[in-house]
Amino acid sequence: MKNGSGGNTNTKLILLHPYIQKQSSTTRLWLLAFVSLFTIIFLLTLLYTRDTIPSKNTSVAAAVAAVVTSAAGVSPSPTTTVTNSNLPTTTINALLHYASRSNDSFHMSYGEMKSISDVLRRCAPPCNLLVFGLTHETLLWKALNHNGRTVFVEENRYYAAYFEEIHPEIDVFDVQYTTRAHEAGELVAAAKEAAGNECRPVQNLLFSDCKLGLNDLPNHVYDVDWDVIFVDGPRGDVNEGPGRMSSIFTAAVLARSKKGGSPKTHVFVHDYYRDVERLCGDEFLCRENLVESNELLAHYVLDKMDKNSTRFCSERKKRSVSSLS
């Protein structure tokens, strides 16, 4: 720099210490190392858990196996195979208790449900249960028939599809009824007259021409030896409804036409106080097979018949009937 007094020049030298640049570089290196280490740990964790976490189906199956084996008093192990076993009595009683306390005005009473539950409990596994009608108790019947085959028949195809969608574990088949409740007397009389031909008690309903026989169910339904049949559908509370003539007649034929399994079939008819249910019960299930009843539920026990049989009911003395509490 020049001044007015002479030619001397003072030079100032500014030195930049490398520590500042070194500190900045070191910080970036540490940050890069930390990010790299975190990334490696994350990738390793992801790969490890991907191989060790079980799939959804595996975990659900394991949970079911653990519950069943625990209830049966067996210690679960990786090789345990779930076999047919009845639900514990406490579980059954709890299911019946809460189902009977429903706010639904159409639910069955504890006594009615227990009568069916007792039969299912005594049924040799795997028990085959056929139910006409989707009702408030549908999930209960499925649960009580633990490890058995349970099939439902429903008149409303849309409701059947909806119910199966929200409960995919339920097997539901829709059927179109061609009868009307007010035709019951005429249809029953015609079926009795044709009992030696198209409406005979032992036949394969898949090929039946009897107007009361249901012949549009899936083929395998007719091949099953049903142990318990519960008639709680279709609608029978109005004259223009289908009435339960066909479902009761079909239950009677399926029970008489068994080829294997137990020779006896338990048939329950709900809403037994109504004229149609009582009429069809007397004509096709027969008073001699009625073992217990009240105004709402009738319990029949049917034996299979010879293929040449032409009568549903015999002339034997009517057996005494106990009352359902």
Side-chain angles (χ1 to χ4, degrees):
M1 183 178 67
K2 293 182 181 181
N3 58 20
S5 60
N8 292 333
T9 303
N10 294 327
T11 303
K12 294 183 178 180
L13 178 63
I14 300 177
L15 296 178
L16 293 177
H17 199 284
Y19 175 76
I20 299 177
Q21 183 176 3
K22 180 179 180 181
Q23 184 179 22
S24 177
S25 299
T26 302
T27 301
R28 285 197 297 269
L29 287 174
W30 276 109
L31 180 60
L32 180 61
F34 176 79
V35 171
S36 300
L37 180 61
F38 178 82
T39 303
I40 294 173
I41 293 174
F42 174 79
L43 290 175
L44 289 175
T45 304
L46 181 63
L47 291 174
Y48 175 76
T49 54
R50 185 178 179 183
D51 290 335
T52 56
I53 294 178
S55 64
K56 178 181 179 181
N57 293 336
T58 302
S59 60
V60 171
V64 172
V67 171
V68 173
T69 53
S70 175
V74 179
S75 298
S77 67
T79 58
T80 297
T81 301
V82 178
T83 58
N84 292 315
S85 61
N86 293 327
L87 288 172
T89 301
T90 52
T91 302
I92 294 175
N93 291 339
L95 289 172
L96 295 176
H97 171 79
Y98 289 110
S100 66
R101 296 297 190 273
S102 169
N103 292 327
D104 192 322
S105 58
F106 297 102
H107 71 80
M108 298 175 68
S109 69
Y110 177 88
E112 293 167 325
M113 291 186 292
K114 188 175 186 304
S115 179
I116 300 174
S117 171
D118 288 345
V119 171
L120 291 174
R121 191 184 311 191
R122 296 191 300 266
C123 184
C127 187
N128 296 319
L129 169 63
L130 178 64
V131 181
F132 289 91
L134 290 176
T135 65
H136 171 77
E137 293 80 22
T138 294
L139 297 180
L140 175 68
W141 306 136
K142 174 66 176 178
L144 291 178
N145 191 24
H146 184 59
N147 286 327
R149 181 202 304 256
T150 305
V151 171
F152 296 87
V153 178
E154 168 60 27
E155 62 175 304
N156 188 325
R157 66 171 60 185
Y158 302 106
Y159 184 58
Y162 165 77
F163 198 91
E164 200 168 31
E165 181 179 354
I166 61 176
H167 299 289
E169 74 280 8
I170 301 294
D171 290 326
V172 186
F173 302 108
D174 66 275
V175 64
Q176 300 301 309
Y177 292 90
T178 59
T179 59
R180 292 294 177 265
H182 65 82
E183 304 172 335
E186 178 184 345
L187 291 171
V188 169
K192 288 178 62 179
E193 290 182 6
N197 195 2
E198 64 266 20
C199 295
R200 58 192 181 275
V202 180
Q203 60 172 306
N204 187 339
L205 286 171
L206 182 62
F207 308 104
S208 177
D209 292 323
C210 183
K211 189 169 183 179
L212 287 184
L214 296 177
N215 58 7
D216 56 349
L217 291 170
N219 294 9
H220 68 271
V221 173
Y222 303 103
D223 296 329
V224 176
D225 294 314
W226 299 105
D227 298 297
V228 183
I229 302 177
F230 179 36
V231 179
D232 201 10
R235 290 171 296 124
D237 53 345
V238 292
N239 285 335
E240 292 304 319
R244 296 178 181 173
M245 301 83 71
S246 290
S247 53
I248 293 176
F249 176 85
T250 298
V253 172
L254 291 174
R256 267 53 175 265
S257 305
K258 293 173 71 171
K259 295 181 175 61
S262 172
K264 296 184 180 297
T265 302
H266 295 263
V267 180
F268 291 89
V269 177
H270 198 216
D271 301 315
Y272 188 61
Y273 67 93
R274 297 195 299 221
D275 293 338
V276 170
E277 280 77 0
R278 195 173 292 267
L279 170 65
C280 294
D282 287 346
E283 297 296 340
F284 302 126
L285 302 176
C286 309
R287 290 282 298 176
E288 70 229 27
N289 299 319
L290 184 62
V291 295
E292 54 181 355
S293 69
N294 62 15
E295 289 188 352
L296 290 175
L297 185 68
H299 176 196
Y300 298 84
V301 179
L302 278 62
D303 289 298
K304 66 179 181 180
M305 284 184 170
D306 182 83
K307 64 179 180 180
N308 297 318
S309 300
T310 58
R311 288 191 306 184
F312 284 88
C313 305
S314 69
E315 299 299 329
R316 293 178 300 175
K317 183 179 179 180
K318 298 177 182 177
R319 84 168 51 172
S320 60
V321 180
S322 61
S323 176
L324 283 168
S325 58

